[in-house]
Amino acid sequence: MRDVAVVGTGMTKFGELWGRTIKDIFVEAAHKAIEDAGVDHIDSLYVGCMSPGLFVGQEHLSAVVADYLGVTPVPATRVESACASGGAAFRQAFLEVASGASDIVLAGGVEKMTDGADVTDTLATAADQEYEVYQGITFPGLYAMIAKAHMHQYGTTREQLAAVAVKNHRNGAKNPNAQFRSEVTAEQVMASTMVADPLRLLDCSPVSDGAAAVIVTSLDVARKLKKSYAKVIASAQASDTIALHSRESLTTLNAVVHAAQKAYKMASLKPTDLNLIEVHDCFTIAEIVVSEDLGLFEKGKGGEAAAKGLTSLECGKTPINTSGGLKAKGHPVGATGVAQIIELYEQLTGRAGSRQVKNARRGMAQNMGGSGASCVIHILEGQ
Amino acid sequence: MRDVAVVGTGMTKFGELWGRTIKDIFVEAAHKAIEDAGVDHIDSLYVGCMSPGLFVGQEHLSAVVADYLGVTPVPATRVESACASGGAAFRQAFLEVASGASDIVLAGGVEKMTDGADVTDTLATAADQEYEVYQGITFPGLYAMIAKAHMHQYGTTREQLAAVAVKNHRNGAKNPNAQFRSEVTAEQVMASTMVADPLRLLDCSPVSDGAAAVIVTSLDVARKLKKSYAKVIASAQASDTIALHSRESLTTLNAVVHAAQKAYKMASLKPTDLNLIEVHDCFTIAEIVVSEDLGLFEKGKGGEAAAKGLTSLECGKTPINTSGGLKAKGHPVGATGVAQIIELYEQLTGRAGSRQVKNARRGMAQNMGGSGASCVIHILEGQ
């Protein structure tokens, strides 16, 4: 396999972009990434998107965006793994460049969620329709069950869940592309509207529109471009049972454990070698469980770690979600995995402004789909 | 890039499989392929599917099928390029094995179209929603415009269109997995119900359920398995404008032309070196246009060639759609591209029974999405 690097990034602001179409926002992010990378062409493109069919009535999105971006006849392919679609699209770009088939590939992700479709119903199609959704479950419900089990098994508290939201909003306030740039207090989180006990409104990532894109090249091409790049030192993916009730434990996400093990092995690293991690905090409990399943904290200790500030930008050993995470940056589902890669690139190339992690050398992006049935993990290393 | 081979195949019968679910039929095809290949595990899987969200309310299909196939935690990814989803899934499996990241990858495709969704509306999401679909166009309408233009420019006749359907039904009658195993006459085609002038019911591929899967390995692994394999000697993909009205010509499919050129170059072959071709005959006119754009016949001569029998199994120089094509075999859209690979494998390994092309050594599969905005082409070579 050839060595692969990220050489440029672009994204829209995440939020409720009512006046814009899915094509429009993808093209904005892609143009920015191409310009940032300084490449004069792309060999192919991938677009991660969960459900353009249900959200905006448009399948075949790959051809749509290739057309509106003006890059036909390059190969264009949509990749879908629910909320891990962006990470999966990045992985396919990585594999295409690693194979030697292409030198310069655009990996993008997009979702337009505010155009009128029933968002909760559409997102629920990422769960098992037959055995979960038809019985009435939704994603807040699934993660609420995980939270209840984690509280029961490990004594995780309501305050610890709130600490994740407080931290991610504090980071998001420093991110110009974040949907929410306002800080929140633990009291506000715990007094916000109940969604699915114990999860309240401020425990949940929002409904968002947005697009993100990165340019992936061979390491040789990256060096010739004579600009900052980040090397992709691990790409790993894993699956788990689609339905929560099929798992041995509600509080361990096996796909995260497996993908992390593969990623650490590929990069010859251990968790403590990482300088920052972007994790898939679709709900506050998800960040806690994932921080444990990545091996950063002992099982059951993720909540305590968050409450102690061990994952904060200010005093954290390994800051988590410096971008604001899904919670504050926003979660246009197909774009999320690519936006995580963008945060790593910004941090590893010293462009993260007031969010900059000092001496950031290695970062991980952990993107997942459904209640964790898909997980894609990448580790990037700065020069 | 490493050399890549197909070592085993499996598919369900195509047709109206009312009593079965999308999971069920995918698992059947995948199990058959695994058993046929004689492999004891897979390293990852891809599933091509156009719209499980709209057809059956299930996105995140990759995790669903990995779970029900019992192969978690292997990476599982869905690939979508409308009706080219199957070919695109096969290409991603090819790239993953070629890269060296995996040795044994399952490439599958599936669609469940008869579960109650509005099929014409759902398929229309593969066209440009904003500028085509919202104005009332459907796929029979788009291909009817292509047919009208082809008749006008080149004198292609109604009889020539019918010749494609007659041939493909004759081939399909010999395929145990085909949806339609009945021959039709030119008179029957030309007397069938008008759908979109000049296309009649028997010019159109049917609405189908079905699944198909193949096992893709490195050439080294294929040799060690000590069974018949076919080497993938070309994989190429291209895009075109999503909307028909944006194209310079209605009668040339640029994505087909570009992908074919790349494929011939990669395989160091010319069209006449091929012993059989599976083309994407979603409508009879599509087979005619594609046979020209692949360089098999001069532009405008595809209809005449079909009427003369030049593409027939019996007396054809380069038989097209020995499987019966989409027209007779059926067109469960996500499965189609993978089923084309299966026909090549069966022919190149001498397992095609009464459809066998004598001394078949090299075959091409041409799979496309929408009105040709995506095209994926593979060339396989027998041992």
Side-chain angles (χ1 to χ4, degrees), chain A residues 1 23 57 74 99 129-130, chain B residues 1 23 57 74 99 129-130 239:
Chain A
M1 285 170 70
K23 296 180 281 204
V74 306
S99 77
Q129 280 296 85
E130 199 171 353
Chain B
M1 285 171 69
K23 295 180 282 204
V74 305
S99 77
Q129 280 297 83
E130 198 171 353
S239 60

Side-chain angles (χ1 to χ4, degrees), chain B residues 4 37 54 71 129-130 138 159 172 198 252 258 270 351 361 373:
Chain B
V4 175
L54 288 163
V71 297
Q129 280 297 83
E130 198 171 353
T138 62
E159 288 74 15
T252 295
H258 281 282
K270 52 189 186 306
R351 309 198 304 188
R361 174 118 197 279

Side-chain angles (χ1 to χ4, degrees), chain B residues 310-378:
Chain B
L310 300 184
T311 58
S312 72
L313 177 55
E314 296 75 17
C315 57
K317 212 174 143 192
T318 312
I320 290 182
N321 285 333
T322 53
S323 68
L326 286 55
K327 177 68 206 79
K329 185 178 52 190
H331 183 28
V333 293
T336 285
V338 179
Q340 291 180 325
I341 300 291
I342 293 180
E343 180 67 11
L344 299 188
Y345 180 84
E346 302 292 292
Q347 292 281 0
L348 299 175
T349 58
R351 309 198 304 188
S354 59
R355 310 191 304 286
Q356 185 65 48
V357 175
K358 275 186 200 160
N359 305 317
R361 174 118 197 279
R362 296 188 197 98
M364 171 190 275
Q366 179 272 334
N367 185 204
M368 67 189 177
S371 52
S374 295
C375 180
V376 187
I377 290 180
H378 287 95

Side-chain angles (χ1 to χ4, degrees), chain B residues 117-195:
Chain B
D118 187 308
V119 174
T120 304
D121 280 0
T122 298
L123 291 177
T125 62
D128 188 316
Q129 280 297 83
E130 198 171 353
Y131 294 111
E132 291 185 324
V133 186
Y134 289 170
Q135 319 308 325
I137 200 69
T138 62
F139 271 95
L142 287 165
Y143 277 93
M145 288 195 274
I146 293 174
K148 281 281 188 192
H150 205 272
M151 292 166 110
H152 176 73
Q153 274 179 263
Y154 302 113
T156 299
T157 65
R158 190 41 275 192
E159 288 74 15
Q160 291 168 353
L161 293 174
V164 172
V166 171
K167 168 183 67 70
N168 289 352
H169 270 264
R170 195 166 60 239
N171 294 346
K174 295 178 177 148
N175 184 348
N177 290 317
Q179 180 163 2
F180 299 132
R181 301 197 60 192
S182 48
E183 298 198 23
V184 296
T185 65
E187 293 67 36
Q188 284 174 313
V189 177
M190 291 188 288
S192 63
T193 306
M194 184 66 81
V195 175

Side-chain angles (χ1 to χ4, degrees), chain A residues 22 26 46-56 58-62 65 77-89 108-113 210 332-336 338, chain B residues 59-60 78-80:
Chain A
I22 191 168
F26 184 89
Y46 290 90
V47 51
C49 190
M50 176 183 158
S51 195
L54 288 163
F55 278 126
V56 296
Q58 178 72 70
E59 303 284 10
H60 206 189
L61 187 68
S62 52
V65 300
T77 304
R78 175 181 158 224
V79 174
E80 185 262 321
S81 284
C83 302
S85 298
V110 66
E111 209 84 46
K112 191 75 179 66
M113 301 172 73
V333 291
T336 285
V338 180
Chain B
E59 304 284 11
H60 206 189
R78 176 180 158 224
V79 174
E80 187 262 321

Side-chain angles (χ1 to χ4, degrees), chain A residues 139-154 156 161 197-199 244 247 249-253 282-290 292-293 299 368 370-372:
Chain A
F139 272 97
L142 287 166
Y143 278 94
M145 287 194 276
I146 293 173
K148 281 281 188 192
H150 205 272
M151 293 165 109
H152 175 73
Q153 275 179 263
Y154 303 113
T156 298
L161 293 173
D197 186 27
L199 301 177
L244 216 52
R247 302 183 190 165
S249 163
L250 291 185
T251 54
T252 296
L253 298 168
C282 44
F283 298 92
T284 48
I285 184 62
E287 178 165 322
I288 290 172
V289 173
V290 169
E292 297 164 358
D293 291 341
K299 195 73 218 168
M368 66 188 178
S371 52

Side-chain angles (χ1 to χ4, degrees), chain B residues 69-345:
Chain B
L69 187 57
V71 297
T72 58
V74 305
T77 304
R78 176 180 158 224
V79 174
E80 187 262 321
S81 284
C83 302
S85 298
F90 180 77
R91 178 169 158 83
Q92 296 311 126
F94 166 83
L95 290 171
E96 181 165 334
V97 174
S99 77
S102 293
D103 290 327
I104 306 174
V105 178
L106 187 145
V110 66
E111 208 84 45
K112 191 75 179 69
M113 302 171 73
T114 68
D115 283 8
D118 187 308
V119 174
T120 304
D121 280 0
T122 298
L123 291 177
T125 62
D128 188 316
Q129 280 297 83
E130 198 171 353
Y131 294 111
E132 291 185 324
V133 186
Y134 289 170
Q135 319 308 325
I137 200 69
T138 62
F139 271 95
L142 287 165
Y143 277 93
M145 288 195 274
I146 293 174
K148 281 281 188 192
H150 205 272
M151 292 166 110
H152 176 73
Q153 274 179 263
Y154 302 113
T156 299
T157 65
R158 190 41 275 192
E159 288 74 15
Q160 291 168 353
L161 293 174
V164 172
V166 171
K167 168 183 67 70
N168 289 352
H169 270 264
R170 195 166 60 239
N171 294 346
K174 295 178 177 148
N175 184 348
N177 290 317
Q179 180 163 2
F180 299 132
R181 301 197 60 192
S182 48
E183 298 198 23
V184 296
T185 65
E187 293 67 36
Q188 284 174 313
V189 177
M190 291 188 288
S192 63
T193 306
M194 184 66 81
V195 175
D197 186 27
L199 301 177
R200 293 173 176 270
L201 188 64
L202 289 175
D203 289 295
C204 310
S205 58
V207 172
S208 319
D209 304 321
V214 300
I215 303 294
V216 181
T217 69
S218 65
L219 199 59
D220 288 345
V221 168
R223 284 179 179 142
K224 282 181 196 146
L225 287 168
K226 293 184 180 159
K227 65 178 297 293
S228 299
Y229 62 83
K231 187 176 163 189
V232 184
I233 59 173
S235 173
Q237 185 175 347
S239 60
D240 195 2
T241 64
I242 181 84
L244 216 51
H245 59 239
S246 304
R247 301 183 191 166
E248 278 181 33
S249 163
L250 291 186
T251 54
T252 295
L253 297 169
N254 272 331
V256 180
V257 173
H258 281 282
Q261 284 170 350
K262 284 199 278 187
Y264 291 131
K265 190 176 169 192
M266 188 169 173
S268 301
L269 290 180
K270 52 189 186 306
T272 47
D273 294 327
L274 298 169
N275 304 116
L276 75 150
I277 308 182
E278 289 285 300
V279 311
H280 194 93
D281 60 320
C282 45
F283 298 92
T284 48
I285 184 63
E287 178 165 322
I288 290 172
V289 173
V290 169
S291 70
E292 297 164 358
D293 291 342
L294 292 178
L296 208 58
F297 306 113
E298 199 182 316
K299 195 74 219 170
K301 301 289 187 191
E304 194 182 314
K308 280 186 180 166
L310 300 184
T311 58
S312 72
L313 177 55
E314 296 75 17
C315 57
K317 212 174 143 192
T318 312
I320 290 182
N321 285 333
T322 53
S323 68
L326 286 55
K327 177 68 206 79
K329 185 178 52 190
H331 183 28
V333 293
T336 285
V338 179
Q340 291 180 325
I341 300 291
I342 293 180
E343 180 67 11
L344 299 188
Y345 180 84

